[in-house]
Amino acid sequence: MRIITGKYKGRHFDIPRSFKARPTTDFAKENIFNVLIQYVDLEDAKALDLFSGTGSISLELLSRGCSQVVSVELDRDHHRFITECVKKLLPSPSSLHTPHSSIIPIRADVFRFIKSCKEQYDLIFADPPYALKELPQIPDLIFERQLLKEDGIFVFEHGKDQDFSQHPHFVEHRSYGSVNFTLFRAKATPSESATPTDATGNEV
């Protein structure tokens, strides 16, 4: 597993052979980040990585300047691997779990995390198992819980059989080999996009 670019560019991490996680390929990762930077300024952004697996995306986001990356993974061994990778990168591993740390690995069920999360993010990335039966509901959950800031971007990796082009928050779809990404964007709330009025309250 390799970090593509940023301050930790070129750093490699050996993934244990026992891992079942399917890391995003370097080819797909590099291409989707080239698309992503057209929508989000990653410098000082607050990001959430769901189903983080090996932590490949979390580490890439950290390398590219995100001020905070919350990495959510249920599997104990994967969570431990992510934590160890971060300790090798950060100058102060002891602050790993403090509110001001660069990355916060959380071992948790993603759906429970989504339902209890009170934070908002500039960017959310999710790479669930392609066979997960709840996969089609994930975009709706993200927007129902209002986890994205206004104009925030949600990047969803999924199998070729899913089509989210009719979703109200759909932006675009990208495919790199067998890897598919759909991008969604948070829209302004009705109060923020309301029709402007003049001093008498009439629409203008």
Side-chain angles (χ1 to χ4, degrees):
M1 183 176 74
R2 178 173 64 93
I3 295 177
I4 302 296
T5 197
K7 56 187 173 183
Y8 303 121
K9 178 180 179 180
R11 292 291 297 271
H12 285 77
F13 300 91
D14 294 326
I15 301 173
R17 293 183 179 180
S18 60
F19 274 21
K20 297 179 181 178
R22 168 189 41 77
T24 303
T25 65
D26 282 355
F27 174 75
K29 183 167 64 173
E30 181 170 12
N31 277 280
I32 195 59
F33 269 93
N34 287 341
V35 173
L36 189 56
I37 58 177
Q38 300 174 37
Y39 293 99
V40 180
D41 182 2
L42 295 179
E43 190 69 30
D44 294 327
K46 186 177 180 180
L48 173 64
D49 182 17
L50 301 173
F51 305 96
S52 50
T54 62
S56 174
I57 297 299
S58 290
L59 296 174
E60 191 72 34
L61 290 168
L62 180 66
S63 181
R64 291 171 184 251
C66 286
S67 61
Q68 184 185 85
V69 181
V70 177
S71 178
V72 183
E73 171 58 44
L74 180 60
D75 185 274
R76 179 186 60 191
D77 293 334
H78 295 174
H79 173 263
R80 183 186 300 117
F81 177 76
I82 295 169
T83 301
E84 291 302 317
C85 288
V86 175
K87 286 180 178 178
K88 293 176 182 178
L89 293 180
L90 295 181
S92 180
S94 61
S95 65
L96 191 61
H97 297 282
T98 67
H100 303 292
S101 64
S102 297
I103 189 165
I104 305 174
I106 297 177
R107 186 185 172 207
D109 175 82
V110 165
F111 295 100
R112 290 184 180 180
F113 176 87
I114 289 174
K115 291 178 181 179
S116 63
C117 183
K118 306 299 182 184
E119 301 293 325
Q120 286 190 313
Y121 301 88
D122 301 290
L123 169 68
I124 299 176
F125 194 104
D127 178 15
Y130 289 178
L132 186 70
K133 65 178 181 179
E134 298 92 350
L135 185 149
Q137 285 76 53
I138 293 174
D140 286 339
L141 290 174
I142 296 296
F143 291 102
E144 286 170 6
R145 299 300 302 178
Q146 300 181 358
L147 299 187
L148 281 170
K149 297 179 182 179
E150 182 184 345
D151 284 333
I153 293 292
F154 172 41
V155 183
F156 193 34
E157 183 174 340
H158 55 83
K160 63 180 181 180
D161 296 330
Q162 280 80 37
D163 179 6
F164 297 95
S165 60
Q166 299 306 308
H167 194 281
H169 293 276
F170 173 83
V171 176
E172 65 170 297
H173 169 261
R174 295 288 180 122
S175 177
Y176 306 106
S178 61
V179 182
N180 289 261
F181 297 98
T182 296
L183 274 66
F184 305 81
R185 172 178 274 160
K187 300 176 182 178
T189 62
S191 60
E192 292 170 327
S193 59
T195 303
T197 58
D198 60 21
T200 63
N202 296 317
E203 294 185 359
V204 296

